[in-house]
Amino acid sequence: LREAIRSERLRPGTRLPSSRTLAVDLGIARNTVADAYGQLVAEGWLASRSGSGTWVAERTTPVQVPATPAGQGVGRFRYDLRPGTPNLAAFPRSAWLTAARRVLSTSSYDVLGYSDPRGLLPLRTALADYLSRARGVAVAPDGIVVCAGFTQGLELLCEVLRGRGAACLAVEAYGQDLSQRIAEAKGLATMTLPVDAGGAAVDQLGDTEAVLLTPAHQFPLGVPLDPLRRRHIVEWASHTGALIVEDDYDGEFRYDRRPVGALQALAPEQVVYAGTASKSLAPGLRLGWLVLPTHLVEEVAAAKARLGRLSSSLDQLVLAELIASGAYDRHVRRSRLTYRWRRDRLTATLRRDVPEVRVTGIDAGLHALVELPDGDSEDDIVARAATHGLALDGLSRYRLGQQPHSPALVLGYATPPDHAYTTALARLAAVLTSQPQASEVERIGPHVGTPSDERVLPW
Amino acid sequence: LREAIRSERLRPGTRLPSSRTLAVDLGIARNTVADAYGQLVAEGWLASRSGSGTWVAERTTPVQVPATPAGQGVGRFRYDLRPGTPNLAAFPRSAWLTAARRVLSTSSYDVLGYSDPRGLLPLRTALADYLSRARGVAVAPDGIVVCAGFTQGLELLCEVLRGRGAACLAVEAYGQDLSQRIAEAKGLATMTLPVDAGGAAVDQLGDTEAVLLTPAHQFPLGVPLDPLRRRHIVEWASHTGALIVEDDYDGEFRYDRRPVGALQALAPEQVVYAGTASKSLAPGLRLGWLVLPTHLVEEVAAAKARLGRLSSSLDQLVLAELIASGAYDRHVRRSRLTYRWRRDRLTATLRRDVPEVRVTGIDAGLHALVELPDGDSEDDIVARAATHGLALDGLSRYRLGQQPHSPALVLGYATPPDHAYTTALARLAAVLTSQPQASEVERIGPHVGTPSDERVLPW
């Protein structure tokens, strides 16, 4: 009946058979029909009056089922060398499932309720252990607030900063525009800090109340923050009372020596350390964490609770179990080997086939900077790549300020699955040498013996 | 050792026994001790120099473990009869695990990346099927936006409404204060609609641009919206272009006849239908969904994407699998039987032991309204209950406007695990009859033959 009314096969005002008649017709109990009529009256599809029977209710508007909205912008490329996503094909599915089984068979049921806004204690405990061990963070479980990825963490921080009267967040002149948008959505102005081969120019901070940095591995330029600048900014923050937000998005992945430890350990009361499972496991988990100065824990937790922004309990517990069981460490170690191999393949391929580009920012992380010859156009190359089914990002895509730069690509080498990586690199070389076919390029590509990976930035 | 150092039982400078000595004392391998020492050195708790042994490190600032934020409302009660949380002990753990295994072994890896802001297609498809079947919602997968629970959904809607220039959201005079806070945080004023035995007084809406309703089962009063009012409000929205937000938080649970279908089906272009897994499965999942009018889908999805507010991919896919496999329906059916049984036990216990209260709002949902004799104080009873380890909520806790009411409790009967439910009810009866011991109450409680569940509201 509902469908018939919705589709206007039954028009408003149409009388329905009595419940007795319809029951006989359908061979069912009269009460069943009467219940259905009552139900549809309660829902507003039918109307009835005692003694006058039942009819289709009047409606002022026709009922339409909403149609598909136009293009949500999920582009379809065969090969994706844009930065920001790890190798999802290597997600540790069976370790995750094992951990999930353990969590589901051992957890108390109350973890499935509305829980501590800081996140569940087993995860905060596991993270405190992991972060102090792997990243040198000075942390106790009570100083951690788990959040739905870095973006939510930054959102909460901006909200609290704004609430405390802060007016401005400084960001690096190259980075994710999402960070800028979040700050601005929360009512903070943003200023940009120039970035050079030593990372952000932290001596130009002035009197901003907070600064967002990627000290271990500048995104997207790939340089670590210079040791003197590390000390300078910590002193600046201690002196001015400003807050440093340390975005340690891929701190686990450093290839040629031990990772640069967290800046946070130098000044736990001035630095918020922000980490995420988006690069080490998968962005789809929406799990990140803030390690907070004592004076911020309560406010950030309250901001999170205020708008009900909690994270999935099950995912939290599974991640805790993964860390506690050692499976997370094993996954990170395995990933590090894979990514190093990929990085080496990338630099070797470009050195051989496209010697005129320079590859920098390759000590760590899941992306490199491919510096193009002056005169090349990022936009042209990105567009040409698209016609080869290859997704690329130009450096301009990540420019937040006015700082000029020579043309470059920000190249993520983690995303293609293993079997597609070689082809993706061949296409990249083909695009960069303007050859239409990857196979041709491999045939004609010169072998060049001189390395081109000196870490010189083009401005 | 960490604890001893943190609590200053071991002071800075204190020498530790050599790893060999400690290993012998504890009867464990020397390497184990050496590893632990190395770890604590790396974490900054200990210091060591080759040849000089190991000692407790100096620290310039005492390391304070941030304290637990004050009262986040995670009270510790033995028995919880507050509304809002389902029976978490009945969470379908093994069905969830089976679905997770299937998802992890069959999904394409790209679902673990940054995904469609509307949510993953398999979940939207499963929800469209389920909602039209179980709740009579007029919906296609493309009209759904998955969100991290109802609160995020409301947050997104308020953001979009505000962006379109709306100034005000009307809410029911009794409800969750979180809704009001969300609207206000997004810059919308709120007005309250009086609620009576026919639900919200929708004829008093005036010229607000949007209204939030619980038509199937008013929260917390428990009445369905009167059929004439359903029609009235849909016409009002069509006429004024205003938006109705239908919060169908526990629509699946109706006990004595079929659930009241969604209001949304009467006017899909005027109504946003909001549903959640928080009552049917567990709040800890942080999964909800909006069924949107065509003209809102793109804007809400964009608002969700803009601040990176995505939901866990794995949980989305597991829920999709649960629905598609029929396990979700089975769980809902089983829960419905349990909750009906609990409701019947509640009404029977109070009728027998505390005949002076009236229990209303019991046709549906996971809570009832327990109307107290005039002159009783909600606060006194809630405080007295707390001394019995019993958590209760007075109706005042949910009053958003100025509307006066007779004293009442909003009693959630879903939360205690099965084995504790009988005792929880006995404590409730004891508290309501001011007897100190539940056992005494059971001895002296009169058997009263006259039912007292006429559905009369006390104002």
Side-chain angles (χ1 to χ4, degrees):
Chain A
L1 279 173
R2 237 194 241 118
E3 259 315 298
I5 300 169
R6 183 182 291 153
S7 64
E8 302 199 322
R9 274 191 293 129
L10 288 177
R11 322 275 303 178
T14 306
R15 251 172 203 294
L16 294 182
S18 74
S19 56
R20 183 190 306 267
T21 310
L22 188 58
V24 170
D25 283 1
L26 298 177
I28 56 180
R30 187 182 165 188
N31 270 349
T32 309
V33 177
D35 284 354
Y37 278 8
Q39 173 76 15
L40 292 171
V41 168
E43 294 179 15
W45 298 101
L46 300 180
S48 71
R49 208 167 26 244
S50 193
S52 311
T54 306
W55 61 93
V56 176
E58 293 292 335
R59 275 205 313 277
T60 47
T61 50
V63 175
Q64 288 168 345
V65 176
T68 310
Q72 288 296 337
V74 184
R76 284 283 157 242
F77 289 98
R78 246 182 106 79
Y79 303 97
D80 194 341
L81 291 176
R82 292 173 298 188
T85 302
N87 181 4
L88 300 173
F91 183 82
R93 294 176 185 225
S94 80
W96 185 272
L97 191 62
T98 303
R101 185 179 304 117
R102 201 175 146 71
V103 162
L104 282 164
S105 62
T106 60
S107 300
S108 154
Y109 58 81
D110 55 8
V111 299
L112 290 165
Y114 294 97
S115 54
D116 190 322
R118 289 175 301 175
L120 294 170
L121 184 59
L123 179 56
R124 290 186 284 116
T125 305
L127 281 172
D129 173 63
Y130 177 79
L131 293 174
S132 72
R133 181 161 50 79
R135 304 293 302 123
V137 176
V139 56
D142 285 341
I144 295 179
V145 171
V146 175
C147 43
F150 171 72
T151 44
Q152 190 193 58
L154 185 61
E155 202 185 350
L156 294 171
L157 286 172
C158 289
E159 198 167 303
V160 167
L161 285 168
R162 189 76 190 103
R164 288 185 170 197
C168 181
L169 174 73
V171 299
E172 295 168 322
Y174 289 84
Q176 294 283 7
D177 60 349
L178 183 57
S179 303
Q180 223 175 9
R181 285 209 305 272
I182 287 171
E184 284 161 8
K186 290 291 163 193
L188 293 173
T190 57
M191 61 165 278
T192 55
L193 278 182
V195 182
D196 59 28
V202 295
D203 51 332
Q204 297 180 32
L205 268 169
D207 60 353
T208 180
E209 293 96 343
V211 55
L212 171 63
L213 296 175
T214 49
H217 186 228
Q218 205 282 330
F219 185 86
L221 302 182
V223 294
L225 189 61
D226 177 89
L228 287 177
R229 290 190 182 173
R230 284 169 76 94
R231 296 235 297 281
H232 173 87
I233 191 161
V234 163
E235 273 160 37
W236 167 82
S238 304
H239 188 68
T240 60
L243 193 72
I244 302 167
V245 183
E246 173 176 25
D247 178 8
D248 193 42
Y249 62 105
D250 64 1
E252 279 103 343
F253 299 111
R254 190 171 176 94
Y255 305 117
D256 304 312
R257 51 188 175 95
R258 283 182 59 83
V260 178
L263 180 69
Q264 184 264 4
L266 294 177
E269 289 299 308
Q270 266 74 50
V271 181
V272 175
Y273 173 92
T276 175
S278 295
K279 305 295 180 274
S280 56
L281 286 168
L285 297 177
R286 307 316 307 137
L287 278 175
W289 40 87
L290 301 176
V291 177
L292 293 158
T294 319
H295 61 97
L296 277 175
V297 175
E298 204 157 335
E299 269 174 88
V300 171
K304 193 165 169 235
R306 194 164 49 240
L307 297 187
R309 298 169 180 132
L310 308 177
S311 306
S312 160
S313 296
L314 287 180
D315 289 353
Q316 287 187 57
L317 292 174
V318 174
L319 178 57
E321 172 65 23
L322 274 186
I323 296 174
S325 71
Y328 184 80
D329 286 71
R330 283 193 296 279
H331 173 69
V332 167
R333 268 199 306 276
R334 214 166 28 232
S335 304
R336 197 185 287 128
L337 291 176
T338 312
Y339 292 142
R340 185 167 64 185
W341 177 85
R342 288 183 173 221
R343 179 201 65 164
D344 294 345
R345 288 290 305 271
L346 168 69
T347 50
T349 301
L350 292 183
R351 191 179 296 163
R352 188 190 66 197
D353 295 347
V354 201
E356 63 274 24
V357 303
R358 276 204 280 216
V359 187
T360 61
I362 57 175
D363 289 349
L366 314 180
H367 73 273
L369 194 69
V370 176
E371 302 174 25
L372 305 169
D374 273 332
D376 270 21
S377 153
E378 290 176 9
D379 288 349
D380 287 355
I381 288 173
V382 169
R384 203 190 309 152
T387 68
H388 285 63
L390 181 65
L392 294 179
D393 267 345
L395 178 56
S396 310
R397 161 90 183 64
Y398 299 97
R399 180 168 60 187
L400 306 183
Q402 301 299 317
Q403 191 176 357
H405 66 260
S406 305
L409 299 174
V410 182
L411 200 123
Y413 48 82
T415 307
D418 287 338
H419 65 83
Y421 189 62
T422 305
T423 317
L425 289 188
R427 299 245 175 147
L428 172 68
V431 165
L432 292 179
T433 52
S434 306
Q435 298 299 326
Q437 294 298 322
S439 53
E440 279 184 50
V441 175
E442 292 202 320
R443 228 175 302 128
I444 64 171
H447 280 252
V448 175
T450 48
S452 59
D453 59 352
E454 305 147 64
R455 313 206 48 266
V456 181
L457 290 163
W459 48 82
Chain B
L1 279 173
R2 234 195 245 114
E3 259 317 297
I5 299 170
R6 182 180 292 152
S7 64
E8 304 200 319
R9 271 191 295 131
L10 289 177
R11 321 274 305 176
T14 307
R15 255 173 199 294
L16 294 181
S18 74
S19 55
R20 184 190 305 269
T21 311
L22 188 57
V24 170
D25 282 1
L26 299 176
I28 57 180
R30 187 181 165 189
N31 271 349
T32 308
V33 177
D35 284 354
Y37 278 10
Q39 171 74 19
L40 292 171
V41 168
E43 291 179 18
W45 299 102
L46 300 181
S48 71
R49 208 168 25 244
S50 192
S52 308
T54 306
W55 62 93
V56 176
E58 292 291 334
R59 280 202 306 276
T60 45
T61 48
V63 174
Q64 289 173 341
V65 177
T68 308
Q72 286 299 337
V74 188
R76 283 287 158 237
F77 289 98
R78 247 182 106 79
Y79 303 98
D80 195 341
L81 291 177
R82 292 173 298 187
T85 302
N87 182 3
L88 299 173
F91 183 82
R93 294 176 183 224
S94 81
W96 185 272
L97 191 63
T98 303
R101 186 179 302 119
R102 201 175 146 70
V103 162
L104 283 163
S105 62
T106 61
S107 299
S108 154
Y109 59 80
D110 56 6
V111 299
L112 290 165
Y114 294 98
S115 55
D116 189 324
R118 289 174 298 177
L120 294 171
L121 184 59
L123 178 55
R124 289 185 284 116
T125 305
L127 281 172
D129 172 64
Y130 177 78
L131 293 175
S132 72
R133 179 160 52 77
R135 304 293 301 124
V137 176
V139 57
D142 286 338
I144 295 178
V145 171
V146 175
C147 43
F150 171 73
T151 44
Q152 189 192 60
L154 184 61
E155 204 185 348
L156 294 170
L157 287 172
C158 288
E159 199 166 303
V160 167
L161 285 169
R162 188 75 190 104
R164 288 185 169 196
C168 180
L169 174 72
V171 299
E172 295 168 322
Y174 288 85
Q176 294 282 7
D177 60 351
L178 183 57
S179 303
Q180 222 175 9
R181 285 209 305 271
I182 288 170
E184 284 161 10
K186 290 292 163 191
L188 294 174
T190 56
M191 61 165 278
T192 54
L193 278 182
V195 182
D196 59 28
V202 295
D203 51 332
Q204 297 181 33
L205 269 168
D207 61 353
T208 181
E209 294 96 343
V211 56
L212 171 63
L213 296 175
T214 49
H217 186 229
Q218 206 282 332
F219 184 85
L221 302 182
V223 295
L225 189 62
D226 176 90
L228 287 176
R229 290 188 183 175
R230 283 169 79 94
R231 297 239 297 282
H232 173 86
I233 191 162
V234 164
E235 273 160 36
W236 167 83
S238 305
H239 188 69
T240 59
L243 193 72
I244 303 167
V245 182
E246 173 176 26
D247 177 8
D248 193 42
Y249 62 104
D250 64 0
E252 279 103 342
F253 299 111
R254 192 173 175 92
Y255 304 117
D256 303 313
R257 51 189 177 96
R258 284 178 56 82
V260 178
L263 180 69
Q264 183 265 4
L266 293 177
E269 289 300 309
Q270 266 74 47
V271 181
V272 175
Y273 172 92
T276 176
S278 295
K279 305 295 180 274
S280 56
L281 285 168
L285 298 176
R286 306 317 306 137
L287 278 175
W289 38 88
L290 300 176
V291 177
L292 293 158
T294 319
H295 62 98
L296 277 175
V297 174
E298 210 155 331
E299 267 176 90
V300 170
K304 193 163 169 235
R306 194 164 48 240
L307 296 187
R309 296 168 180 134
L310 308 177
S311 305
S312 161
S313 297
L314 288 179
D315 290 352
Q316 287 186 58
L317 292 173
V318 174
L319 179 57
E321 171 66 23
L322 274 186
I323 296 174
S325 70
Y328 184 80
D329 286 69
R330 282 194 295 280
H331 174 67
V332 167
R333 267 199 307 275
R334 213 164 31 229
S335 304
R336 198 185 286 128
L337 291 176
T338 312
Y339 293 142
R340 185 168 63 184
W341 178 84
R342 287 183 174 221
R343 178 200 67 163
D344 294 345
R345 288 291 304 273
L346 168 69
T347 51
T349 301
L350 292 183
R351 192 179 295 162
R352 187 190 64 197
D353 295 346
V354 202
E356 63 274 23
V357 303
R358 276 204 279 216
V359 187
T360 61
I362 56 174
D363 289 349
L366 314 181
H367 72 273
L369 194 69
V370 176
E371 303 174 25
L372 305 168
D374 273 331
D376 270 20
S377 153
E378 290 177 9
D379 288 349
D380 287 355
I381 288 173
V382 168
R384 203 190 309 151
T387 68
H388 286 64
L390 180 66
L392 294 180
D393 267 345
L395 178 57
S396 311
R397 162 88 183 64
Y398 299 97
R399 179 167 61 185
L400 305 182
Q402 301 300 319
Q403 190 177 356
H405 66 261
S406 306
L409 299 174
V410 182
L411 200 123
Y413 47 82
T415 306
D418 287 339
H419 64 83
Y421 189 62
T422 305
T423 318
L425 289 188
R427 300 247 174 145
L428 172 68
V431 165
L432 292 179
T433 52
S434 306
Q435 299 297 328
Q437 295 297 325
S439 52
E440 278 186 48
V441 174
E442 293 201 320
R443 225 177 302 126
I444 64 170
H447 279 254
V448 176
T450 48
S452 60
D453 59 351
E454 305 146 63
R455 312 204 50 267
V456 181
L457 291 162
W459 47 81

mmCIF file with all atom_site columns, all heavy atoms in Angstrom, chain A residues 444-457:
data_model
loop_
_atom_site.group_PDB
_atom_site.id
_atom_site.type_symbol
_atom_site.label_atom_id
_atom_site.label_alt_id
_atom_site.label_comp_id
_atom_site.label_asym_id
_atom_site.label_entity_id
_atom_site.label_seq_id
_atom_site.pdbx_PDB_ins_code
_atom_site.Cartn_x
_atom_site.Cartn_y
_atom_site.Cartn_z
_atom_site.occupancy
_atom_site.B_iso_or_equiv
_atom_site.pdbx_formal_charge
_atom_site.auth_seq_id
_atom_site.auth_comp_id
_atom_site.auth_asym_id
_atom_site.auth_atom_id
_atom_site.pdbx_PDB_model_num
ATOM 1   N N   . ILE A 1 444 ? 64.642 3.267  -24.856 1.00 0.00 ? 444 ILE A N   1
ATOM 2   C CA  . ILE A 1 444 ? 65.578 4.332  -25.241 1.00 0.00 ? 444 ILE A CA  1
ATOM 3   C C   . ILE A 1 444 ? 66.223 5.036  -24.044 1.00 0.00 ? 444 ILE A C   1
ATOM 4   O O   . ILE A 1 444 ? 67.142 5.811  -24.201 1.00 0.00 ? 444 ILE A O   1
ATOM 5   C CB  . ILE A 1 444 ? 64.891 5.409  -26.103 1.00 0.00 ? 444 ILE A CB  1
ATOM 6   C CG1 . ILE A 1 444 ? 63.792 6.111  -25.290 1.00 0.00 ? 444 ILE A CG1 1
ATOM 7   C CG2 . ILE A 1 444 ? 64.345 4.805  -27.397 1.00 0.00 ? 444 ILE A CG2 1
ATOM 8   C CD1 . ILE A 1 444 ? 63.211 7.313  -25.981 1.00 0.00 ? 444 ILE A CD1 1
ATOM 9   N N   . GLY A 1 445 ? 65.735 4.774  -22.837 1.00 0.00 ? 445 GLY A N   1
ATOM 10  C CA  . GLY A 1 445 ? 66.235 5.514  -21.680 1.00 0.00 ? 445 GLY A CA  1
ATOM 11  C C   . GLY A 1 445 ? 67.736 5.346  -21.488 1.00 0.00 ? 445 GLY A C   1
ATOM 12  O O   . GLY A 1 445 ? 68.234 4.228  -21.477 1.00 0.00 ? 445 GLY A O   1
ATOM 13  N N   . PRO A 1 446 ? 68.465 6.440  -21.349 1.00 0.00 ? 446 PRO A N   1
ATOM 14  C CA  . PRO A 1 446 ? 69.913 6.358  -21.182 1.00 0.00 ? 446 PRO A CA  1
ATOM 15  C C   . PRO A 1 446 ? 70.263 5.911  -19.763 1.00 0.00 ? 446 PRO A C   1
ATOM 16  O O   . PRO A 1 446 ? 69.536 6.188  -18.813 1.00 0.00 ? 446 PRO A O   1
ATOM 17  C CB  . PRO A 1 446 ? 70.376 7.789  -21.400 1.00 0.00 ? 446 PRO A CB  1
ATOM 18  C CG  . PRO A 1 446 ? 69.215 8.618  -20.982 1.00 0.00 ? 446 PRO A CG  1
ATOM 19  C CD  . PRO A 1 446 ? 67.975 7.824  -21.256 1.00 0.00 ? 446 PRO A CD  1
ATOM 20  N N   . HIS A 1 447 ? 71.328 5.190  -19.596 1.00 0.00 ? 447 HIS A N   1
ATOM 21  C CA  . HIS A 1 447 ? 71.819 4.873  -18.264 1.00 0.00 ? 447 HIS A CA  1
ATOM 22  C C   . HIS A 1 447 ? 72.806 5.946  -17.837 1.00 0.00 ? 447 HIS A C   1
ATOM 23  O O   . HIS A 1 447 ? 73.810 6.167  -18.491 1.00 0.00 ? 447 HIS A O   1
ATOM 24  C CB  . HIS A 1 447 ? 72.494 3.493  -18.245 1.00 0.00 ? 447 HIS A CB  1
ATOM 25  C CG  . HIS A 1 447 ? 71.488 2.401  -18.180 1.00 0.00 ? 447 HIS A CG  1
ATOM 26  N ND1 . HIS A 1 447 ? 71.260 1.636  -17.061 1.00 0.00 ? 447 HIS A ND1 1
ATOM 27  C CD2 . HIS A 1 447 ? 70.608 1.972  -19.120 1.00 0.00 ? 447 HIS A CD2 1
ATOM 28  C CE1 . HIS A 1 447 ? 70.298 0.768  -17.301 1.00 0.00 ? 447 HIS A CE1 1
ATOM 29  N NE2 . HIS A 1 447 ? 69.896 0.949  -18.537 1.00 0.00 ? 447 HIS A NE2 1
ATOM 30  N N   . VAL A 1 448 ? 72.512 6.605  -16.780 1.00 0.00 ? 448 VAL A N   1
ATOM 31  C CA  . VAL A 1 448 ? 73.356 7.718  -16.350 1.00 0.00 ? 448 VAL A CA  1
ATOM 32  C C   . VAL A 1 448 ? 74.021 7.335  -15.040 1.00 0.00 ? 448 VAL A C   1
ATOM 33  O O   . VAL A 1 448 ? 73.369 6.908  -14.091 1.00 0.00 ? 448 VAL A O   1
ATOM 34  C CB  . VAL A 1 448 ? 72.502 8.990  -16.168 1.00 0.00 ? 448 VAL A CB  1
ATOM 35  C CG1 . VAL A 1 448 ? 73.369 10.117 -15.608 1.00 0.00 ? 448 VAL A CG1 1
ATOM 36  C CG2 . VAL A 1 448 ? 71.893 9.390  -17.498 1.00 0.00 ? 448 VAL A CG2 1
ATOM 37  N N   . GLY A 1 449 ? 75.323 7.469  -15.017 1.00 0.00 ? 449 GLY A N   1
ATOM 38  C CA  . GLY A 1 449 ? 76.061 7.022  -13.844 1.00 0.00 ? 449 GLY A CA  1
ATOM 39  C C   . GLY A 1 449 ? 76.116 8.029  -12.708 1.00 0.00 ? 449 GLY A C   1
ATOM 40  O O   . GLY A 1 449 ? 76.264 7.663  -11.557 1.00 0.00 ? 449 GLY A O   1
ATOM 41  N N   . THR A 1 450 ? 75.982 9.321  -12.984 1.00 0.00 ? 450 THR A N   1
ATOM 42  C CA  . THR A 1 450 ? 76.158 10.328 -11.943 1.00 0.00 ? 450 THR A CA  1
ATOM 43  C C   . THR A 1 450 ? 74.898 10.467 -11.100 1.00 0.00 ? 450 THR A C   1
ATOM 44  O O   . THR A 1 450 ? 73.815 10.718 -11.623 1.00 0.00 ? 450 THR A O   1
ATOM 45  C CB  . THR A 1 450 ? 76.444 11.706 -12.574 1.00 0.00 ? 450 THR A CB  1
ATOM 46  O OG1 . THR A 1 450 ? 75.472 11.920 -13.593 1.00 0.00 ? 450 THR A OG1 1
ATOM 47  C CG2 . THR A 1 450 ? 77.832 11.726 -13.168 1.00 0.00 ? 450 THR A CG2 1
ATOM 48  N N   . PRO A 1 451 ? 75.022 10.312 -9.800  1.00 0.00 ? 451 PRO A N   1
ATOM 49  C CA  . PRO A 1 451 ? 73.835 10.462 -8.963  1.00 0.00 ? 451 PRO A CA  1
ATOM 50  C C   . PRO A 1 451 ? 73.343 11.909 -8.981  1.00 0.00 ? 451 PRO A C   1
ATOM 51  O O   . PRO A 1 451 ? 74.128 12.842 -9.140  1.00 0.00 ? 451 PRO A O   1
ATOM 52  C CB  . PRO A 1 451 ? 74.334 10.058 -7.568  1.00 0.00 ? 451 PRO A CB  1
ATOM 53  C CG  . PRO A 1 451 ? 75.819 10.165 -7.621  1.00 0.00 ? 451 PRO A CG  1
ATOM 54  C CD  . PRO A 1 451 ? 76.245 10.066 -9.057  1.00 0.00 ? 451 PRO A CD  1
ATOM 55  N N   . SER A 1 452 ? 72.044 12.063 -8.847  1.00 0.00 ? 452 SER A N   1
ATOM 56  C CA  . SER A 1 452 ? 71.485 13.423 -8.901  1.00 0.00 ? 452 SER A CA  1
ATOM 57  C C   . SER A 1 452 ? 70.641 13.683 -7.659  1.00 0.00 ? 452 SER A C   1
ATOM 58  O O   . SER A 1 452 ? 69.656 14.370 -7.713  1.00 0.00 ? 452 SER A O   1
ATOM 59  C CB  . SER A 1 452 ? 70.643 13.580 -10.154 1.00 0.00 ? 452 SER A CB  1
ATOM 60  O OG  . SER A 1 452 ? 69.606 12.624 -10.139 1.00 0.00 ? 452 SER A OG  1
ATOM 61  N N   . ASP A 1 453 ? 71.040 13.058 -6.560  1.00 0.00 ? 453 ASP A N   1
ATOM 62  C CA  . ASP A 1 453 ? 70.189 13.233 -5.392  1.00 0.00 ? 453 ASP A CA  1
ATOM 63  C C   . ASP A 1 453 ? 70.812 14.095 -4.302  1.00 0.00 ? 453 ASP A C   1
ATOM 64  O O   . ASP A 1 453 ? 70.567 13.921 -3.129  1.00 0.00 ? 453 ASP A O   1
ATOM 65  C CB  . ASP A 1 453 ? 69.779 11.866 -4.826  1.00 0.00 ? 453 ASP A CB  1
ATOM 66  C CG  . ASP A 1 453 ? 70.982 11.028 -4.427  1.00 0.00 ? 453 ASP A CG  1
ATOM 67  O OD1 . ASP A 1 453 ? 72.107 11.459 -4.742  1.00 0.00 ? 453 ASP A OD1 1
ATOM 68  O OD2 . ASP A 1 453 ? 70.797 9.981  -3.804  1.00 0.00 ? 453 ASP A OD2 1
ATOM 69  N N   . GLU A 1 454 ? 71.671 15.046 -4.692  1.00 0.00 ? 454 GLU A N   1
ATOM 70  C CA  . GLU A 1 454 ? 72.116 16.011 -3.696  1.00 0.00 ? 454 GLU A CA  1
ATOM 71  C C   . GLU A 1 454 ? 70.885 16.736 -3.179  1.00 0.00 ? 454 GLU A C   1
ATOM 72  O O   . GLU A 1 454 ? 69.957 17.018 -3.933  1.00 0.00 ? 454 GLU A O   1
ATOM 73  C CB  . GLU A 1 454 ? 73.038 17.062 -4.328  1.00 0.00 ? 454 GLU A CB  1
ATOM 74  C CG  . GLU A 1 454 ? 74.224 16.499 -5.069  1.00 0.00 ? 454 GLU A CG  1
ATOM 75  C CD  . GLU A 1 454 ? 74.553 17.389 -6.246  1.00 0.00 ? 454 GLU A CD  1
ATOM 76  O OE1 . GLU A 1 454 ? 74.926 18.542 -6.011  1.00 0.00 ? 454 GLU A OE1 1
ATOM 77  O OE2 . GLU A 1 454 ? 74.391 16.936 -7.398  1.00 0.00 ? 454 GLU A OE2 1
ATOM 78  N N   . ARG A 1 455 ? 70.898 17.061 -1.897  1.00 0.00 ? 455 ARG A N   1
ATOM 79  C CA  . ARG A 1 455 ? 69.671 17.559 -1.298  1.00 0.00 ? 455 ARG A CA  1
ATOM 80  C C   . ARG A 1 455 ? 69.629 19.083 -1.397  1.00 0.00 ? 455 ARG A C   1
ATOM 81  O O   . ARG A 1 455 ? 69.742 19.805 -0.433  1.00 0.00 ? 455 ARG A O   1
ATOM 82  C CB  . ARG A 1 455 ? 69.550 17.058 0.129   1.00 0.00 ? 455 ARG A CB  1
ATOM 83  C CG  . ARG A 1 455 ? 69.836 15.545 0.199   1.00 0.00 ? 455 ARG A CG  1
ATOM 84  C CD  . ARG A 1 455 ? 69.208 14.809 1.323   1.00 0.00 ? 455 ARG A CD  1
ATOM 85  N NE  . ARG A 1 455 ? 67.797 15.116 1.456   1.00 0.00 ? 455 ARG A NE  1
ATOM 86  C CZ  . ARG A 1 455 ? 67.331 16.036 2.253   1.00 0.00 ? 455 ARG A CZ  1
ATOM 87  N NH1 . ARG A 1 455 ? 68.133 16.750 2.996   1.00 0.00 ? 455 ARG A NH1 1
ATOM 88  N NH2 . ARG A 1 455 ? 66.056 16.266 2.322   1.00 0.00 ? 455 ARG A NH2 1
ATOM 89  N N   . VAL A 1 456 ? 69.461 19.570 -2.624  1.00 0.00 ? 456 VAL A N   1
ATOM 90  C CA  . VAL A 1 456 ? 69.415 21.009 -2.866  1.00 0.00 ? 456 VAL A CA  1
ATOM 91  C C   . VAL A 1 456 ? 67.986 21.387 -3.231  1.00 0.00 ? 456 VAL A C   1
ATOM 92  O O   . VAL A 1 456 ? 67.370 20.764 -4.083  1.00 0.00 ? 456 VAL A O   1
ATOM 93  C CB  . VAL A 1 456 ? 70.343 21.406 -4.030  1.00 0.00 ? 456 VAL A CB  1
ATOM 94  C CG1 . VAL A 1 456 ? 70.292 22.911 -4.227  1.00 0.00 ? 456 VAL A CG1 1
ATOM 95  C CG2 . VAL A 1 456 ? 71.757 20.936 -3.752  1.00 0.00 ? 456 VAL A CG2 1
ATOM 96  N N   . LEU A 1 457 ? 67.471 22.360 -2.572  1.00 0.00 ? 457 LEU A N   1
ATOM 97  C CA  . LEU A 1 457 ? 66.127 22.806 -2.902  1.00 0.00 ? 457 LEU A CA  1
ATOM 98  C C   . LEU A 1 457 ? 66.212 23.933 -3.921  1.00 0.00 ? 457 LEU A C   1
ATOM 99  O O   . LEU A 1 457 ? 67.135 24.733 -3.883  1.00 0.00 ? 457 LEU A O   1
ATOM 100 C CB  . LEU A 1 457 ? 65.408 23.271 -1.643  1.00 0.00 ? 457 LEU A CB  1
ATOM 101 C CG  . LEU A 1 457 ? 65.080 22.099 -0.700  1.00 0.00 ? 457 LEU A CG  1
ATOM 102 C CD1 . LEU A 1 457 ? 64.757 22.626 0.678   1.00 0.00 ? 457 LEU A CD1 1
ATOM 103 C CD2 . LEU A 1 457 ? 63.923 21.289 -1.263  1.00 0.00 ? 457 LEU A CD2 1
#
